[in-house]
Structures are given as structure tokens and as C-alpha cells.
Amino acid sequence: MTTTEKPGTIAWRRRRAAVAKHWREFATNKAGLTGLIFLGVITVLAILAPVLTDESGLDVTKVTGGPLESPSGEFWLGTDIDGRSVLLMTYWGARISLLVGFSAAFLSVLIGTIIGIAAAHFGGWLSSLLLRFTDFFLVLPSLVLAVVLAAVLDRNTATVIIAIGVTAWPSTARLVRAQTLTIESRPYIERSKALGGGHLHIVGKHVLPGVMPLVLANTTLVVGNAVIADATLAFLGVGDPNAVSWGAMLQTALNNGAITRGAWWNLLPPGIAIVVIVLAFTLVGRALETVLNPRLKGQHS
């Protein structure tokens, strides 16, 4: 049976088949699938927070609870020093953590991917310049640099995203550069160049499709790191002062003596939330690495 399918149609059909194959392999990884389901549920619940809960409960002028009330039937996880429900604050904190995590990871991966591909593809003086630029950011303590940026710029969520995004890209750049060098050493790249393929054609048609699976797996791990960085910045007092975040909850609990007063319910919920959501991203990222990296085949259960 003959076919008259266009080359572009054949390429997309093969890519869809590859995606379906990778999904079947990913679904066999119980840890990764569990993490993905958990993240999906949390993301949906965070998006629906304004519908499922009353945001006015976060306003200290409208609270109905007393300071540091212990868990009860009315307040399942107790209240903070201002009388706000810790459960409600933890729930709404997921919105900020996911927003910052995804946005900062996207910015970081975008910068790292562009620099990594450019350094590997063009070579020469541009590659040397980009590598030195990357090394400069690698040797700088990213958290310290993020704190400085967050402290100098206006204190809001956008600043936190920028501070994390522009300091976390070097590892992605190194990873993408190595993968790009591997792809560009293959024979079909040489054939494409011989046939007159330009930089845009080679990068768009060959390099990007080759590095994107690795970038996707790396992104899930970057999101987890961004969530931790966001909580750290808020805990250090350089986050968005108007946002209800898990790091801000920990800072408030520390500053108001929740530990000395035995108000453990002010510390455990946000702390556990950070650990669980970062663990979920890590499980998904490791599972994707196993599926997309041929050298790791057969090492997952």
C-alpha cells in the first residue's frame, strides 16, 4: 500500500506515536504517576480556591478566631497569631507557590535553553562568551543573588519570579548545551547543512525537538527548586508582603513565638506542604528522566 503523506505529516505522526509510547512507559512508574496525580489534584484545587473558599477569611480585620487557637471542629488546623485559619492559609498558599514555581521555572528554562542551544550551535567566540557568562552565574550563590534582587526591586510576586528565574538557569544551560552538541554530531545534521539548511531550520527542525524531552524532564525538577526558593525568600522577609505563602506563614510563626508557645499547628502544615509538593515534582521529574533517557531504561519500578 502506497502513501502520499507529506513529510511534515509523517513527522507529526511519528512524534505523536513517540509521545504515546513515552506515556505508556511513564504510566508504569508508580511513583511518577502518583506524583503526577497529586500535582494535578493540587493544581485544580488551587485554581478553584476562590470558588471553594471565602477569601475574606485571610483578612485580619474579618477573622472570627482568636490568636493561636489550637485545632478544633471550627478550625481544623487551628489559627495563627492574627486569628486566621491555618488550613485556609495553607490552602491559599498553594496558589502562590505553584504560580511562582511554574512561572520562575518557565523563565529559568527559557533562558537556559536559549543560551545552551546558542553556545553549542554557533560555537566560536559566542560560545566562549556564553560559557563564561554561565560560569559566572554558576559560581555565584543563587540564593544570595535572588535575595539581593528581591530586596532591591519592588517587593511583589513578579519580583520573586524574576529573582528566582534569572538566577536558576545555568544548570539548564549546561544540560541543553551538552544535549545540543550530541544532536549536532549526528549525520542528518551534516546532510541538512549540505543541502543548504540555515541556522533557523537546523535549530527549529532538528535541535529543538531533540532537546525538548530533556528540557521537559528538567523543568519539573526546576519547579520544585523554585517552590523551595520562594518559601526561602518569604521566610527571609524579602517575598511579597501582601501574599499568603507557605514561607510567609513560617516567618510569621517564627516572629510571633509560635514555637515557644507550643503552637505546632502554625509550623507543621506549611512545612509539610512544601515537602510534599516538592517531593511530588521530584517524583515526576525522575520518572520523566527515566523514560526519556535511554541510559536509564529498566532502572525504575
Side-chain angles (χ1 to χ4, degrees), residues 117-129:
I117 291 178
H121 177 74
F122 293 103
W125 66 269
L126 180 60
S127 176
S128 299
L129 178 63

Side-chain angles (χ1 to χ4, degrees), residues 244-269:
V244 177
S245 66
W246 295 331
M249 291 175 65
L250 292 173
Q251 183 203 36
T252 300
L254 179 65
N255 292 342
N256 290 281
I259 299 177
T260 57
R261 300 186 190 187
W264 54 266
W265 54 89
N266 272 215
L267 300 172
L268 286 184

Side-chain angles (χ1 to χ4, degrees), residues 183-194 202 206-207:
I183 293 172
E184 295 213 352
S185 66
R186 294 171 182 170
Y188 61 82
I189 298 294
E190 293 298 328
R191 288 197 299 268
S192 181
K193 291 179 180 178
I202 292 173
H206 301 298
V207 176

Side-chain angles (χ1 to χ4, degrees), residues 180-235:
T180 302
L181 289 173
T182 300
I183 293 172
E184 295 213 352
S185 66
R186 294 171 182 170
Y188 61 82
I189 298 294
E190 293 298 328
R191 288 197 299 268
S192 181
K193 291 179 180 178
L195 292 173
H199 296 303
L200 187 61
H201 173 81
I202 292 173
V203 171
K205 292 290 185 178
H206 301 298
V207 176
L208 269 180
V211 302
M212 283 311 296
L214 190 62
V215 169
L216 176 61
N218 181 66
T219 299
T220 57
L221 300 176
V222 175
V223 174
N225 292 334
V227 170
I228 295 177
D230 170 55
T232 303
L233 292 177
F235 181 74

Side-chain angles (χ1 to χ4, degrees), residues 21-33 213-214 216-218 220-221 282-301:
K21 177 177 176 290
H22 289 325
W23 167 250
R24 288 193 297 269
E25 293 179 1
F26 180 87
T28 63
N29 189 305
K30 296 180 180 179
L33 189 60
L214 190 62
L216 176 61
N218 181 66
T220 57
L221 300 176
T282 302
L283 291 176
V284 173
R286 295 305 182 192
L288 284 174
E289 274 189 334
T290 303
V291 170
L292 299 174
N293 190 340
R295 292 175 296 178
L296 300 178
K297 296 288 185 182
Q299 294 186 17
H300 68 278
S301 59

Side-chain angles (χ1 to χ4, degrees), residues 6-300:
K6 296 180 180 179
T9 303
I10 296 174
W12 277 109
R13 179 162 52 82
R14 289 176 178 174
R15 288 170 187 171
R16 286 195 297 268
V19 170
K21 177 177 176 290
H22 289 325
W23 167 250
R24 288 193 297 269
E25 293 179 1
F26 180 87
T28 63
N29 189 305
K30 296 180 180 179
L33 189 60
T34 300
L36 182 62
I37 293 173
F38 180 81
L39 288 177
V41 172
I42 292 298
T43 301
V44 171
L45 289 177
I47 293 173
L48 295 178
V51 178
L52 300 177
T53 62
D54 184 5
E55 187 178 3
S56 64
L58 301 174
D59 188 344
V60 295
T61 64
K62 300 179 180 179
V63 297
T64 58
L68 299 179
E69 286 188 15
S70 59
S72 62
E74 183 179 2
F75 300 104
W76 291 3
L77 294 180
T79 64
D80 71 343
I81 191 67
D82 297 312
R84 296 176 294 179
S85 169
V86 173
L87 176 60
L88 182 64
M89 294 175 66
T90 304
Y91 183 17
W92 275 79
R95 290 173 61 87
I96 295 296
S97 292
L98 290 176
L99 173 62
V100 173
F102 282 119
S103 301
F106 174 79
L107 178 60
S108 171
V109 170
L110 178 64
I111 296 172
T113 300
I114 292 174
I115 291 180
I117 291 178
H121 177 74
F122 293 103
W125 66 269
L126 180 60
S127 176
S128 299
L129 178 63
L130 292 177
L131 287 177
R132 298 295 78 78
F133 184 64
T134 303
D135 291 339
F136 173 76
F137 273 88
L138 276 173
V139 298
L140 286 177
S142 58
L143 179 59
V144 174
L145 184 56
V147 168
V148 172
L149 289 175
V152 171
L153 301 176
D154 292 336
R155 291 178 58 187
N156 52 49
T157 302
T159 295
V160 174
I161 292 172
I162 294 173
I164 298 173
V166 300
T167 58
W169 59 266
S171 58
T172 300
R174 285 285 187 178
L175 190 67
V176 171
R177 176 181 176 272
Q179 183 68 4
T180 302
L181 289 173
T182 300
I183 293 172
E184 295 213 352
S185 66
R186 294 171 182 170
Y188 61 82
I189 298 294
E190 293 298 328
R191 288 197 299 268
S192 181
K193 291 179 180 178
L195 292 173
H199 296 303
L200 187 61
H201 173 81
I202 292 173
V203 171
K205 292 290 185 178
H206 301 298
V207 176
L208 269 180
V211 302
M212 283 311 296
L214 190 62
V215 169
L216 176 61
N218 181 66
T219 299
T220 57
L221 300 176
V222 175
V223 174
N225 292 334
V227 170
I228 295 177
D230 170 55
T232 303
L233 292 177
F235 181 74
L236 294 176
V238 291
D240 186 347
N242 299 316
V244 177
S245 66
W246 295 331
M249 291 175 65
L250 292 173
Q251 183 203 36
T252 300
L254 179 65
N255 292 342
N256 290 281
I259 299 177
T260 57
R261 300 186 190 187
W264 54 266
W265 54 89
N266 272 215
L267 300 172
L268 286 184
I272 293 176
I274 294 172
V275 171
V276 170
I277 202 165
V278 171
L279 176 61
F281 276 114
T282 302
L283 291 176
V284 173
R286 295 305 182 192
L288 284 174
E289 274 189 334
T290 303
V291 170
L292 299 174
N293 190 340
R295 292 175 296 178
L296 300 178
K297 296 288 185 182
Q299 294 186 17
H300 68 278

